[in-house]
């Protein structure tokens, strides 16, 4: 049976700052679990998850913490165990894409990609209507967007890019925005409520994230035949590889963003330095008992 051998709290500095939902980032603290089989697992997090690396490290050491910290750690452990039992089943069919941050200037897109993801804040940048786009386009609005404006912008975009498959990443928490001619991409922390209220459209794509979503939600979505993909929060290359593996084994879609704002993702998330702030092998038995129950 797999158990936790040690836990590290570290500070990672990235070679090149890049944008995330919480702003530009050049450095982050992270927690890495080392299992006794030698495989490390990074507990990726974002501010919206309601946890901090120091709090998570302490909860692993003591076996107690806030409800958010405990649920966050359990989610990561369950995904790690699920991936440990999974075998690659998606071969081919990968969509290779590029992500563009908020920009009023037309970017120079990488040629030959299948997908473009554009951050829109409250509205679509004007250049997108006339700029050539690949076969798949994802619009990532934020919560400041206006429902009526989105509807008007999407109608115009469908006229300009009639051969493009357009998706909207949902900007409103626990609410699904319906727009004719486009598919919704759901990316939220509580699919259980949406499932219970029967509010997940049959044409939706669902994004799951370690630490935020549960394996139980994944199983319920599978039973509903809703396609799932796995997304990453700000992380190092090690955790990014885990997300890619999840898409090839547990996901129904294999979407791989290769570039963000013209920079190769794998290069951007490669650390320039890693400083170990704390390390302990005194991990609470609570977590190893939980791992035993998972088996």
């Amino acid at each position: 049976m797999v158990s936790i051998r040690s836990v590290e709290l570290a500070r990672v500095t990235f070679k090149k700052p890049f944008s995330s939902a919480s702003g530009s980032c050049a450095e982050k603290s992270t927690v890495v679990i080392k299992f006794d089989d030698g495989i490390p697992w990074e507990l990726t997090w974002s501010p919206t998850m309601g946890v901090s690396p120091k709090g998570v490290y302490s909860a692993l050491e003591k076996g107690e913490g806030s409800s958010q910290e405990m649920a966050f750690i359990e989610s990561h452990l369950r995904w790690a165990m699920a991936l440990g039992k999974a075998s690659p089943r998606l071969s081919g069919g990968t969509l290779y894409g590029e992500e563009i941050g908020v920009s009023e200037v037309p970017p120079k897109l990488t040629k030959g990609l299948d997908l473009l993801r554009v951050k829109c804040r409250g509205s679509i940048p004007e250049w997108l209507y006339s700029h050539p786009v690949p076969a798949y386009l994802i619009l990532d609005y934020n919560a400041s967007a206006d429902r009526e404006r989105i509807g008007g912008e999407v109608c115009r975009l469908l006229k300009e890019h009639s051969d493009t498959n357009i998706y909207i990443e949902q900007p409103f928490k626990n609410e699904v925005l319906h727009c004719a001619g486009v598919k919704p991409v759901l990316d939220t922390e509580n699919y259980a409520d949406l499932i219970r209220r029967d509010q997940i459209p049959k044409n939706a794509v669902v994004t799951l994230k370690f630490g935020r979503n549960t394996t139980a939600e994944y199983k319920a979505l599978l039973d509903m035949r809703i396609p799932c993909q796995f997304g990453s929060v700000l992380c190092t290359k090690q955790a990014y590889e885990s997300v890619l593996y999840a898409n090839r084994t547990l996901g129904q879609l294999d979407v791989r963003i290769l570039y963000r704002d013209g920079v190769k993702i794998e290069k951007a998330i490669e650390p320039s330095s890693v400083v170990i702030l704390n390390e302990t092998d005194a991990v609470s038995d609570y977590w190893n008992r939980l791992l035993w129950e998972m088996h």
Side-chain angles (χ1 to χ4, degrees):
M1 188 201 79
V2 175
S3 61
I4 299 173
R5 186 178 68 197
S6 64
V7 178
E8 286 180 356
L9 175 65
R11 184 173 63 245
V12 178
T13 302
F14 297 101
K15 287 185 176 180
K16 182 178 175 61
F18 58 93
S19 60
S20 68
S22 52
S24 179
C25 182
E27 184 180 273
K28 69 167 288 189
S29 294
T30 188
V31 175
V32 177
I33 286 175
K34 291 186 177 178
F35 294 104
D36 58 8
D37 60 5
I39 298 176
W41 180 274
E42 182 182 350
L43 277 69
T44 54
W45 65 282
S46 70
T48 58
M49 293 181 184
V51 300
S52 70
K54 287 184 179 179
V56 168
Y57 181 86
S58 174
L60 281 162
E61 193 175 22
K62 298 175 181 176
E64 58 184 38
S66 69
S67 58
Q68 292 100 324
E69 289 162 352
M70 300 298 277
F72 171 83
I73 296 168
E74 181 175 342
S75 168
H76 267 285
L77 292 179
R78 289 191 181 278
W79 285 118
M81 293 302 100
L83 287 187
K85 299 172 186 176
S87 300
R89 59 184 177 80
L90 284 180
S91 57
T94 302
L95 294 178
Y96 295 99
E98 180 164 9
E99 182 178 289
I100 300 297
V102 177
S103 173
E104 299 305 320
V105 180
K108 184 178 180 182
L109 299 179
T110 305
K111 293 181 180 179
L113 297 181
D114 312 295
L115 178 145
L116 176 64
R117 185 171 181 265
V118 180
K119 290 185 175 293
C120 302
R121 277 194 186 150
S123 62
I124 291 175
E126 193 65 29
W127 57 262
L128 190 57
Y129 295 111
S130 56
H131 203 283
V133 296
Y136 293 87
L137 176 64
I138 299 177
L139 306 174
D140 182 12
Y141 285 94
N142 68 12
S144 68
D146 177 83
R147 291 165 179 78
E148 288 188 14
R149 170 178 277 184
I150 291 175
E153 290 182 339
V154 168
C155 284
R156 181 181 168 192
L157 200 60
L158 285 166
K159 290 178 182 176
E160 300 295 340
H161 300 292
S162 57
D163 294 330
T164 299
N165 297 283
I166 300 177
Y167 295 77
I168 292 183
E169 193 160 311
Q170 297 295 293
F172 308 117
K173 190 175 181 179
N174 293 329
E175 177 188 349
V176 180
L177 177 69
H178 297 274
C179 285
V182 302
K183 294 180 180 180
V185 178
L186 307 186
D187 189 357
T188 188
E189 76 274 10
N190 193 347
Y191 293 113
D193 280 350
L194 292 175
I195 292 169
R196 193 162 39 246
R197 299 197 301 262
D198 194 26
Q199 290 185 337
I200 298 183
K202 299 301 180 186
N203 66 340
V205 173
V206 163
T207 302
L208 299 166
K209 289 177 179 173
F210 306 146
R212 184 191 69 180
N213 299 116
T214 66
T215 52
E217 287 175 312
Y218 167 70
K219 290 173 183 174
L221 291 161
L222 273 189
D223 290 342
M224 296 170 63
R225 299 186 182 278
I226 300 293
C228 300
Q229 63 175 349
F230 290 81
S232 63
V233 296
L234 185 58
C235 62
T236 64
K237 190 173 180 180
Q238 172 183 293
Y240 179 69
E241 291 294 334
S242 297
V243 172
L244 295 182
Y245 189 73
N247 276 323
R248 293 197 301 272
T249 56
L250 304 178
Q252 288 76 52
L253 295 168
D254 190 6
V255 176
R256 191 174 304 188
I257 302 295
L258 299 182
Y259 298 87
R260 180 180 287 136
D261 293 329
V263 177
K264 277 191 174 182
I265 291 278
E266 292 194 15
K267 188 172 183 180
I269 61 180
E270 198 172 306
S272 60
S273 68
V274 178
V275 178
I276 306 300
L277 303 175
N278 236 328
E279 183 174 11
T280 183
D281 55 7
V283 180
S284 170
D285 286 342
Y286 172 87
W287 300 111
N288 284 327
R289 287 198 301 271
L290 184 64
L291 285 171
W292 177 267
E293 291 171 9
M294 290 178 194
H295 282 271

